[in-house]
Each structure stands twice: as C-alpha cells, then as structure tokens.
Amino acid sequence: MKKYKVTVNGTAYEITLEEVDAAEVQSAAAKTAANASAPSAAPAGGESVNSPMPGTILSVNVTNGQSVKKGDVLMILEAMKMENEIMSPCDGTVSSVQVAKGASVESGTLLCTIS
C-alpha cells in the first residue's frame, strides 16, 4: 500500500492505494466483460429504440400497433433523478414494446421497435 496526498478544489486529501499485479487486473476485466450483456437486436426491417443510459422506466406512452411520428414521446426514462423523454427517431408503427413501467434498464437495452 502506498499513501499519496491529493488536492482537489483546494481541499487536501490523503489516499492509500493498493498495488495489484497485472494478472489480477486482467482477471477482473475478463469477469466484467463476461457479465456484460449485449444490447438486444431489433427484428429485421425495424428501427430499434435503445436506452441511452441506465435508469428506470417511469411511463410507457405507446402500445404495439400504434402509429407514431418522428419526435413523439415513446416513454419517460428516469436517470440520475432527471426525467428523460425517449422520442421516436422516425415515422412508423410500433411493432414491439420490450419494457414496462418500473423496469430497470441498462445503457443500450432495447426499449421498443418501430417499423
């Protein structure tokens, strides 16, 4: 363990860092990569709408078969205590809704598909 002094915005902090070997770092990175899930793919011919960030779905404003226009609010995603409108990237018909109100989503999670 090594001790360092760091000053952030005029405030001095003393920190202690533990040295690890390269094998431990690579092992931890491999475990993290193995646990990461890939974003879901959209059905053929559809425009996928993915979550831009991790958060919680507060409301789903569309249903399967509903017509939408570019810019329509599809759902509300709460992230970092802010409500973010997820808008339609194109005109079309909602062919699938993959999430429900209250669902926790990660960045890249498929929310819905528009065809």
Side-chain angles (χ1 to χ4, degrees), residues 47 63-69 90-96 113-115:
E47 175 86 21
T63 58
N64 288 342
Q66 181 176 339
S67 293
V68 293
K69 300 247 184 237
C90 60
D91 293 350
T93 303
V94 177
S95 55
S96 70
T113 306
I114 300 171
S115 54

Side-chain angles (χ1 to χ4, degrees), residues 26 41 43 50-51 56 65-66 77 103 105-106 109 112:
Q26 289 176 347
N50 298 316
S51 176
T56 303
Q66 181 176 339
L77 173 71
V105 297
E106 295 299 320
T109 300
C112 68

Side-chain angles (χ1 to χ4, degrees), residues 3 9 15 32 35 44 48 56 66 70 72 75 77 79-80 90 103 106 115:
K3 288 188 178 184
N9 294 332
I15 61 170
T32 302
N35 291 336
S48 63
T56 303
Q66 181 176 339
K70 182 177 181 176
D72 285 352
M75 50 195 70
L77 173 71
M80 299 184 298
C90 60
E106 295 299 320
S115 54

Side-chain angles (χ1 to χ4, degrees):
M1 298 265 230
K2 289 188 176 184
K3 288 188 178 184
Y4 295 92
K5 289 186 180 179
V6 179
T7 303
V8 179
N9 294 332
T11 304
Y13 298 95
E14 185 175 303
I15 61 170
T16 304
L17 299 178
E18 179 180 356
E19 292 183 59
V20 294
D21 63 9
E24 288 180 59
V25 173
Q26 289 176 347
S27 174
K31 286 179 186 176
T32 302
N35 291 336
S37 61
S40 302
E47 175 86 21
S48 63
V49 178
N50 298 316
S51 176
M53 64 194 81
T56 303
I57 302 297
L58 291 182
S59 69
V60 178
N61 302 340
V62 294
T63 58
N64 288 342
Q66 181 176 339
S67 293
V68 293
K69 300 247 184 237
K70 182 177 181 176
D72 285 352
V73 177
L74 304 173
M75 50 195 70
I76 306 291
L77 173 71
E78 179 186 38
M80 299 184 298
K81 302 201 185 243
M82 292 184 63
E83 293 183 11
N84 301 281
E85 295 180 334
I86 307 300
M87 294 186 251
S88 176
C90 60
D91 293 350
T93 303
V94 177
S95 55
S96 70
V97 177
Q98 303 295 322
V99 295
K101 179 180 178 178
S104 292
V105 297
E106 295 299 320
S107 183
T109 300
L110 178 63
L111 302 175
C112 68
T113 306
I114 300 171
S115 54

